[in-house]
Amino acid sequence: MKQPLRPVSNVDLPRYMGDWYVIANVPYFAERNCYDSIESYALRDDGKIDNWFTCRKKSFDAPLKRKSNAVATVKDSRTNAVWTVKFFGIFRAKYLILDLDPNYQWVAVAHPSRRYGWIMARSKTLDGTQYQKLLHAFAAQGYDPEKFKRVPQSASPTSTKQSSQ
């Protein structure tokens, strides 16, 4: 049996909010064939977090569309690194922040099953050395780093403000 995942000791939620470009993930049905993927977060007045996912399907020429809306709840208020994300008002998924840049420029996000994982950054690219360090951080917590696949990101800036429903 694998050890439980060990999230970071502290997340400043206001700093974490905003757009994160998905640099790599463990592919699953909802994110397969996505280009220019962006995870976005906004802190709500009730303390919960609005979370939405935007991408282009199958090519950079496809329109940028919002693919999902969710609401996250912080489950460990001591660290703010363990969340539950509720999709479509029905499905719940755990969200653990495993590694986070002190300047909030990159993040590694995990799921306890280790079947899902994300490497995200504030910009569309991530230094190759830092990318390898994050894969190593996942491996140290029981992930198979070979399962992570890069997500194509175009060279031009993208913002979820341009996205449509």
Side-chain angles (χ1 to χ4, degrees), residues 16 20 97 99-101 105-109 118-121 134:
Y16 194 85
W20 290 91
I97 301 170
D99 202 354
L100 179 61
D101 176 47
Q105 295 304 300
W106 49 257
V107 65
V109 176
W118 297 265
I119 293 173
M120 300 186 292
L134 290 170

Side-chain angles (χ1 to χ4, degrees), residues 27-129:
Y28 71 104
F29 73 94
E31 293 188 51
R32 276 197 191 101
N33 299 313
C34 277
Y35 288 63
D36 285 335
S37 296
I38 304 168
E39 281 284 343
S40 302
Y41 306 94
L43 200 53
R44 298 173 11 166
D45 290 339
D46 63 4
K48 293 184 179 182
I49 300 163
D50 283 326
N51 171 214
W52 61 97
F53 175 71
T54 310
C55 78
R56 301 177 196 280
K57 274 299 196 181
K58 299 185 180 179
S59 86
F60 289 121
D61 296 326
L64 188 63
K65 289 189 178 178
R66 189 178 287 198
K67 296 294 184 181
S68 70
N69 294 302
V71 176
T73 304
V74 174
K75 291 301 182 181
D76 180 352
S77 59
R78 185 180 51 80
T79 67
N80 292 328
V82 179
W83 306 358
T84 296
V85 182
K86 192 173 186 182
F87 298 91
F88 311 111
I90 302 170
F91 304 105
R92 286 186 172 89
K94 293 224 181 207
Y95 180 108
L96 289 89
I97 301 170
L98 288 191
D99 202 354
L100 179 61
D101 176 47
N103 295 315
Y104 288 69
Q105 295 304 300
W106 49 257
V107 65
V109 176
H111 182 271
S113 69
R114 295 171 175 84
R115 289 186 305 217
Y116 312 100
W118 297 265
I119 293 173
M120 300 186 292
R122 294 293 192 182
S123 64
K124 291 182 162 214
T125 60
L126 184 64
D127 172 81
T129 301

